[in-house]
Each structure stands twice: as structure tokens, then as C-alpha cells.
Amino acid sequence: CGLNSFPNGVCFLSSSLLGVYLTELGCEDVKLISANVDVDEYPDVKSHAWLEVEGKYVDITASQFSERTNARITVQNKCAAEWLFAYAQAARREGTYREQKPDLDNCLSLYNLIVSKVKCI
């Protein structure tokens, strides 16, 4: 359980950890979204995960897809003009779209380490 290659290849873990943290802070309606899509519109994105927080998409690893964004943190409305929404729609068509509650998935020690660092700031 680690984040050494952040943001590359750790979107599910990163998003899940952030989702748990936001839930603990009192955010409501936090969902972890994951999708696997192999379509021509997204040749650079075979799989990805991000959060939906109170109706908006929040992605802390989108910068791994430099063709899509260079922002460290992406917050998008759920509308066709935004790439995460379009990617989610493609995943729904392909049957690979998944929503779940974020959890620590055996990464409690990593989560506690991150939270301890955040509290020091």
C-alpha cells in the first residue's frame, strides 16, 4: 500500500484515501468512481478513479493524463463539456462504471500517516 508513483497508477488508492478524509471532515455524498474504458476517444486513459463529492467530480491524479489536464487538482461539474463526465459516460456504455463508498482497504497506517502530516500544517 503506497503512493510512491503519485499521481501515476495510484488514482484508486489516492481517491479512496481522500474520500475517507473528506467524509470524516463532514462532507456528505462522497462516492469513489472507477472505470475501465478502451475506446478511441480516450486512448491515453485505460482505467481511472476519482471522487464525486456533493455532485462534483474531484480528481487529484488527473495530471497523469497531460493530454487532458495539467491541473494538480481537478474539480469538474457533471456535464458533457468536461472530460471526466464524458469518460464516465463511455464507461457506463461499456459496463465498467462503478460507484462505491471510499474505504481504507487495509491502508489504515498510510492513512494515519497522511492525516498526521496534514494536522501539522
Side-chain angles (χ1 to χ4, degrees):
C1 191
L3 299 171
N4 292 336
S5 61
F6 186 88
N8 298 321
V10 293
C11 50
F12 191 89
L13 173 59
S14 300
S15 295
S16 195
L17 293 172
L18 178 59
V20 170
Y21 185 71
L22 293 173
T23 300
E24 287 182 357
L25 286 179
C27 291
E28 297 183 20
D29 195 23
V30 178
K31 300 173 192 166
L32 176 61
I33 312 281
S34 59
N36 300 308
V37 179
D38 189 7
V39 294
D40 292 340
E41 297 93 347
Y42 300 98
D44 56 323
V45 188
K46 300 298 183 202
S47 67
H48 194 42
W50 64 95
L51 295 173
E52 181 180 332
V53 181
E54 299 177 357
K56 293 197 183 267
Y57 288 147
V58 177
D59 189 346
I60 60 171
T61 63
S63 62
Q64 69 184 303
F65 307 114
S66 58
E67 299 81 13
R68 307 282 162 210
T69 184
N70 59 6
R72 288 186 184 265
I73 300 173
T74 298
V75 178
Q76 296 181 354
N77 291 314
K78 291 172 61 178
C79 65
E82 302 286 4
W83 82 269
L84 283 172
F85 180 81
Y87 185 77
Q89 296 301 80
R92 286 179 198 268
R93 286 191 303 275
E94 298 288 316
T96 62
Y97 178 91
R98 183 174 175 207
E99 291 182 2
Q100 66 188 73
K101 182 178 177 181
D103 63 53
L104 297 177
D105 193 33
N106 299 321
C107 292
L108 181 60
S109 60
L110 175 61
Y111 179 78
N112 288 336
L113 174 65
I114 293 169
V115 169
S116 73
K117 298 296 183 187
V118 169
K119 289 181 178 178
C120 290
I121 296 175

